[in-house]
Amino acid sequence: MIPPADSLLKYDTPVLVSRNTEKRSPKARPLKVSPQQPGPSGPVPQPPKTKLPSTSCVPDPTKQAEEILNAILPPREWVEDTQLWIQQVSSTPSTRMDVVHLQEQLDLKLQQRQARETGICPVRRELYSQCFDELIREVTINCAERGLLLLRVRDEIRMTIAAYQTLYESSVAFGMRKALQAEQGKSDMERKIAELETEKRDLERQVNEQKAKCEAVEKRESERRQVEEKKHNEEIQFLKRTNQQLKVIAAPAQAQLEGIIAPKK
């Protein structure tokens, strides 16, 4: 027989259910079981006794504690060769040596399975969960109410861890969405930058063309101005020469006219 994975939680010896693949149900009739040969894991469970008519209705505290223990820590089942095996949690009270041994086993398994000492570690969480279940089992045997209270604490811790896990998964999904949006925005921004760079190059080309046109116009106007100034200077020189010539020609006539006018005075 290949038993389930080893656990820090103490179990009784597995028992074989005679009805091979059928599972028990609360309303089904009791199934015949055959106890396995005794092993080192725990004592051999006693065969079921025939119920005798009782005149008292007071419940048995031991049986009630076992029922509470089975409700808190359900038995584990597995199928091998079409045979259903059931292993219930041990109801044997524990001693201080058992607690010391549990601590040693916890440290040993943490070392064997190479659990991380800090941070998030599923292996360490699983082993400590098994250790907590074993402590709940030990406490429940001595005081069922205390075991139920520890059960509430365990469920609250698991619910808190599940809430943190859900929050972590949602935050990871949110981060992935933001990363995808950032990538998409980055692509859009890169495309917009390329468009702006193209527009910039076109504007620079237009500016260079306008500068070239302006330089050409300035050069043409400068040449025209030089030509106009040269022509104007030539006209001035021509007029000066003409005026000088006219003065030269008109000088004798003026002197003669002055000579004619002078005797009359």
Side-chain angles (χ1 to χ4, degrees), residues 172-261:
V172 169
F174 178 78
M176 291 298 295
R177 288 197 301 270
K178 286 299 182 181
L180 293 176
Q181 292 177 2
E183 289 294 332
Q184 184 177 3
K186 181 180 178 182
S187 301
D188 297 338
M189 190 62 65
E190 289 178 351
R191 184 173 63 255
K192 186 175 181 180
I193 290 174
E195 294 176 355
L196 291 176
E197 288 179 350
T198 303
E199 184 178 359
K200 176 186 175 183
R201 288 193 295 269
D202 293 339
L203 292 176
E204 288 178 350
R205 180 178 55 79
Q206 294 179 9
V207 169
N208 293 330
E209 291 177 356
Q210 295 298 327
K211 284 183 178 180
K213 290 181 180 180
C214 182
E215 291 176 356
V217 170
E218 288 179 353
K219 183 178 181 181
R220 186 170 61 252
E221 290 297 324
S222 177
E223 293 176 354
R224 186 179 64 80
R225 185 170 60 252
Q226 291 176 0
V227 172
E228 292 291 336
E229 288 179 354
K230 183 178 180 181
K231 184 177 179 181
H232 180 67
N233 292 330
E234 290 177 355
E235 289 180 356
I236 291 175
Q237 295 296 330
F238 175 75
L239 292 175
K240 285 182 177 180
R241 287 195 303 270
T242 303
N243 187 22
Q244 189 68 26
Q245 291 176 1
L246 291 175
K247 286 182 178 180
V248 173
I249 295 173
Q254 185 178 4
Q256 184 178 0
L257 181 61
E258 291 179 352
I260 296 173
I261 296 174

Side-chain angles (χ1 to χ4, degrees), residues 2-264:
I2 303 176
D6 190 13
S7 174
L8 294 175
L9 182 60
K10 187 178 294 185
Y11 285 90
D12 285 334
T13 306
V15 292
L16 175 62
V17 180
S18 59
R19 290 164 60 182
N20 296 337
T21 57
E22 297 180 1
K23 294 185 179 181
R24 289 184 178 181
S25 62
K27 297 183 180 179
R29 59 185 177 86
L31 302 179
K32 297 180 180 180
V33 297
S34 58
Q36 193 187 14
Q37 296 296 329
S41 60
V44 179
Q46 298 296 330
K49 298 180 180 180
T50 306
K51 292 184 179 181
L52 299 176
S54 176
T55 57
S56 175
C57 297
V58 179
D60 187 3
T62 305
K63 184 176 181 181
Q64 185 178 6
E66 292 180 358
E67 292 178 355
I68 295 175
L69 187 61
N70 290 331
I72 293 176
L73 302 170
R76 56 185 181 181
E77 303 177 358
W78 68 94
V79 178
E80 181 185 1
D81 297 333
T82 67
Q83 294 178 346
L84 178 62
W85 293 83
I86 297 179
Q87 190 176 22
Q88 294 184 348
V89 178
S90 176
S91 59
T92 305
S94 299
T95 61
R96 291 189 176 183
M97 292 304 299
D98 293 334
V99 177
V100 174
H101 180 68
L102 174 63
Q103 182 178 358
E104 294 176 354
Q105 288 294 320
L106 175 61
D107 295 336
L108 179 61
K109 287 183 177 295
L110 287 173
Q111 184 178 3
Q112 289 177 350
R113 300 182 62 177
Q114 298 179 354
R116 299 179 182 176
E117 295 182 359
T118 58
I120 299 175
C121 180
V123 175
R124 189 178 74 250
R125 175 186 172 189
E126 177 187 355
L127 292 176
Y128 273 96
S129 178
Q130 294 176 6
C131 181
F132 195 19
D133 290 341
E134 173 62 18
L135 293 177
I136 292 176
R137 184 194 71 83
E138 297 176 0
V139 171
T140 305
I141 294 174
N142 297 327
C143 180
E145 290 77 9
R146 195 178 301 159
L148 292 174
L149 184 58
L150 286 177
L151 176 65
R152 288 183 57 186
V153 175
R154 185 197 69 178
D155 293 341
E156 177 64 25
I157 293 174
R158 289 182 178 179
M159 184 174 62
T160 303
I161 294 176
Y164 279 120
Q165 185 176 2
T166 303
L167 181 62
Y168 170 76
E169 293 175 355
S170 62
S171 63
V172 169
F174 178 78
M176 291 298 295
R177 288 197 301 270
K178 286 299 182 181
L180 293 176
Q181 292 177 2
E183 289 294 332
Q184 184 177 3
K186 181 180 178 182
S187 301
D188 297 338
M189 190 62 65
E190 289 178 351
R191 184 173 63 255
K192 186 175 181 180
I193 290 174
E195 294 176 355
L196 291 176
E197 288 179 350
T198 303
E199 184 178 359
K200 176 186 175 183
R201 288 193 295 269
D202 293 339
L203 292 176
E204 288 178 350
R205 180 178 55 79
Q206 294 179 9
V207 169
N208 293 330
E209 291 177 356
Q210 295 298 327
K211 284 183 178 180
K213 290 181 180 180
C214 182
E215 291 176 356
V217 170
E218 288 179 353
K219 183 178 181 181
R220 186 170 61 252
E221 290 297 324
S222 177
E223 293 176 354
R224 186 179 64 80
R225 185 170 60 252
Q226 291 176 0
V227 172
E228 292 291 336
E229 288 179 354
K230 183 178 180 181
K231 184 177 179 181
H232 180 67
N233 292 330
E234 290 177 355
E235 289 180 356
I236 291 175
Q237 295 296 330
F238 175 75
L239 292 175
K240 285 182 177 180
R241 287 195 303 270
T242 303
N243 187 22
Q244 189 68 26
Q245 291 176 1
L246 291 175
K247 286 182 178 180
V248 173
I249 295 173
Q254 185 178 4
Q256 184 178 0
L257 181 61
E258 291 179 352
I260 296 173
I261 296 174
K264 290 182 179 182

